[in-house]
Amino acid sequence: MTFPIPPAGRTVEHLGRGPLGRDELAAVVARDIPRDSFVNLGIGQPTTVADHLAADSGVILHTENGMLGMGPAASADEVDPDLTNAGKIPVTEPPGAAYFHHADSFAMMRGGHLDVCVLGAYQVSERGDLANWHTGAPDAIPAVGGAMDLAIGAKDVFVMMTLFARDGSPKLVRECTYPLTGLACVSRLYTDQALFQVGPGGVTAVETYGTTVDELAARLDVTVSRLDGR
Amino acid sequence: MTAITGDPDEAVAGIADGATVLVGGFGMAGMPVTLIEALIRQGATDLTVVSNNAGNGDTGLAALLAAGRVRKMICSFPRQSDSWVFDGLYREGRIELEVVPQGNLAERMRAAGAGIGAFFSPTGVGTLLAEGKERRTIDGREYVLEYPIKGDVALIGAYLGDRRGNLVYRKTARNFGPVMATAATLTIAEVRRVVELGELDPEAVVTPSIYVDRILDLSAAEASS
């Protein structure tokens, strides 16, 4: 499944279809990862982006637990308990891989050496604030892992999530109500309904899927611009 | 001088009640399970444990927690699908928790081992985990002040050690081991096997022997048990 890169400077509304499925969303994120870049795919859903990277993309995957050049998930007979990804899933070691310890792994992030990281989220604000580590519920056990380091470390932070929560409330908001992971750190927001740029200039729709910018703007509490400024 | 033993109980002798213990591993990869089992037998209690996770399943760190020996857990990611031991203790109010972003956790131990008094980190700025911490703007960017985490003891898992105490690791089981080895007064490593001097390529040594006080040789431990 391939998605063409949209024309620069113009917002595209894809109307002859429904919202993106999970797999399609991963394919759109993969499309926008520059060739030969160093990329961290977090844990959970973002890791599926790897399945959509072209074999000749030249993308080198970083995992926070100390590896560059990480390979795909291990098959049953390849499982090695000493070789896992950040989600503790057994992975593989292709030629050209490199290992390093944790302080080095996070120096790579914090030092701005990673080109892109892809994270999930509970909420993203119009300025690009990210909330993805804690629901704030009183009985929840807080667990942050590497999320805060990744959020402020990678040159570009992509978030993939559904645009609306199960109760219908938007997850792209003016101000996050969940505890923050990082301030003004998200640059692109990939959702089932639309792809947005977020940041100091607010929210700009790049593409929509099965809906229009106007329809989405009516359901969101943020101002949504178009690339062509209309 | 690094002491080498095949006896797990000898390897953990002398760990005091109330000690801060750095425990290596990311999940189970690199976790020093044999040393932890020996620490449970040794009996030290009221411990503060610093580790990335708060135990997986029922073995290793999870078993130490289940034995009621840990007063406080400092970690980045306690909540996992298989962290039922910690989850239960936490919900019953029987264990203290300090959550630290993973990179700050690693860097705070690195600082302890490297003689750094404190450092400004951009991680966590504007979040709950930076509340009450000193903030500073440097070159237009916001940072929070983070202090070192020093261990009384580090328990780590490595792959091979040589007779002098140099260590190499295997794949992503390296994780926190090299950093923790530098950050504790007493560093104890369990290794699959101890090799003769010259068998480890000096260019490939990850943790030089200066950081390693005791080695538990698991191959010798298995041979004698």
Side-chain angles (χ1 to χ4, degrees):
Chain A
M1 159 181 26
T2 55
F3 288 86
I5 293 173
R10 191 161 66 81
T11 297
V12 179
E13 294 172 327
H14 298 281
L15 298 177
R17 57 156 301 141
L20 295 174
R22 288 167 71 92
D23 225 30
E24 292 176 311
L25 183 57
V28 174
V29 176
R31 175 198 73 186
D32 291 353
I33 291 179
R35 291 185 65 83
D36 300 328
S37 50
F38 291 95
V39 177
N40 184 300
L41 296 177
I43 59 175
Q45 196 192 356
T47 60
T48 63
V49 171
D51 303 335
H52 299 278
L53 292 168
D56 64 349
S57 70
V59 167
I60 295 176
L61 296 179
H62 170 268
T63 182
E64 68 190 22
N65 51 321
M67 184 182 195
L68 270 174
M70 178 177 67
S75 62
D77 58 348
E78 290 174 324
V79 169
D80 180 336
D82 285 344
L83 180 50
T84 71
N85 66 12
K88 283 125 191 159
I89 309 290
V91 292
T92 49
E93 175 198 280
Y99 297 110
F100 32 86
H101 63 63
H102 246 83
D104 277 351
S105 184
F106 282 77
M108 267 173 219
M109 289 180 198
R110 225 187 289 110
H113 305 281
L114 289 181
D115 297 301
V116 177
C117 83
V118 185
L119 298 169
Y122 296 131
Q123 287 176 330
V124 172
S125 84
E126 58 186 350
R127 289 180 309 280
D129 295 346
L130 170 67
N132 78 345
W133 73 284
H134 189 18
T135 60
D139 62 337
I141 299 176
V144 68
M148 288 186 182
D149 308 272
L150 274 171
I152 58 90
K155 289 176 198 157
D156 263 309
V157 174
F158 294 178
V159 162
M160 58 193 296
M161 66 180 197
T162 55
L163 186 54
F164 298 94
R166 285 198 189 108
D167 67 2
S169 59
K171 293 157 75 174
L172 169 58
V173 293
R174 274 182 201 277
E175 297 281 350
C176 296
T177 53
Y178 284 74
L180 290 177
T181 307
L183 295 171
C185 54
V186 179
S187 52
R188 290 169 82 88
L189 174 59
Y190 292 83
T191 76
D192 51 339
Q193 314 256 346
L195 158 56
F196 303 98
Q197 293 170 356
V198 293
V203 179
T204 306
V206 178
E207 287 179 279
T208 65
Y209 300 95
T211 183
T212 66
V213 176
D214 290 343
E215 283 168 352
L216 284 179
R219 296 178 67 192
L220 296 170
D221 189 29
V222 298
T223 304
V224 183
S225 310
R226 293 167 184 266
L227 284 171
D228 34 39
R230 284 189 294 128
Chain B
M1 167 105 189
T2 305
I4 295 174
T5 178
D7 178 355
D9 297 311
E10 192 180 307
V12 300
I15 297 177
D17 289 353
T20 295
V21 183
L22 317 180
V23 176
F26 184 88
M28 294 304 284
M31 180 167 289
V33 173
T34 307
L35 287 173
I36 294 169
E37 287 169 351
L39 178 58
I40 294 169
R41 288 193 298 275
Q42 189 261 4
T45 191
D46 199 30
L47 302 172
T48 294
V49 169
V50 184
S51 194
N52 187 60
N53 303 108
N56 302 77
D58 294 298
T59 59
L61 180 52
L64 185 68
L65 293 168
R69 305 293 170 72
V70 182
R71 180 180 65 78
K72 180 179 181 182
M73 199 60 238
I74 301 177
C75 67
S76 87
F77 207 76
R79 184 191 66 227
Q80 302 161 93
S81 58
D82 59 355
S83 60
W84 49 79
V85 173
F86 175 82
D87 298 0
L89 290 169
Y90 182 80
R91 292 192 197 289
E92 289 165 19
R94 289 168 60 201
I95 195 162
E96 226 180 296
L97 171 66
E98 180 181 345
V99 174
V100 179
Q102 198 171 148
N104 284 355
L105 187 67
E107 193 64 13
R108 287 173 68 184
M109 289 188 278
R110 200 197 71 81
I116 302 296
F119 60 94
F120 282 100
S121 170
T123 301
V125 169
T127 74
L128 286 177
L129 299 187
E131 275 181 3
K133 295 185 175 180
E134 186 179 334
R135 255 170 98 149
R136 190 175 299 183
T137 306
I138 302 171
D139 227 1
R141 193 174 191 196
E142 290 279 314
Y143 295 85
V144 290
L145 186 63
E146 293 286 351
Y147 287 92
I149 298 175
K150 188 161 179 50
D152 297 303
V153 182
L155 304 180
I156 63 171
Y159 179 46
L160 301 176
D162 72 12
R163 298 233 157 259
R164 184 166 288 167
N166 297 306
L167 302 177
V168 296
Y169 299 82
R170 191 166 173 277
K171 305 186 187 289
T172 57
R174 179 182 307 198
N175 57 68
F176 283 90
V179 179
M180 289 180 171
T182 69
T185 308
L186 174 69
T187 292
I188 311 169
E190 67 176 55
V191 301
R192 304 253 177 106
R193 182 160 64 81
V194 171
V195 300
E196 295 305 321
L197 295 189
E199 284 190 53
L200 296 184
D201 177 357
E203 299 279 8
V205 168
V206 176
T207 296
S209 65
I210 192 168
Y211 297 118
V212 184
D213 300 287
R214 299 179 190 170
I215 287 183
L216 170 63
D217 182 348
L218 291 177
S219 69
E222 277 160 27
S224 64
S225 65

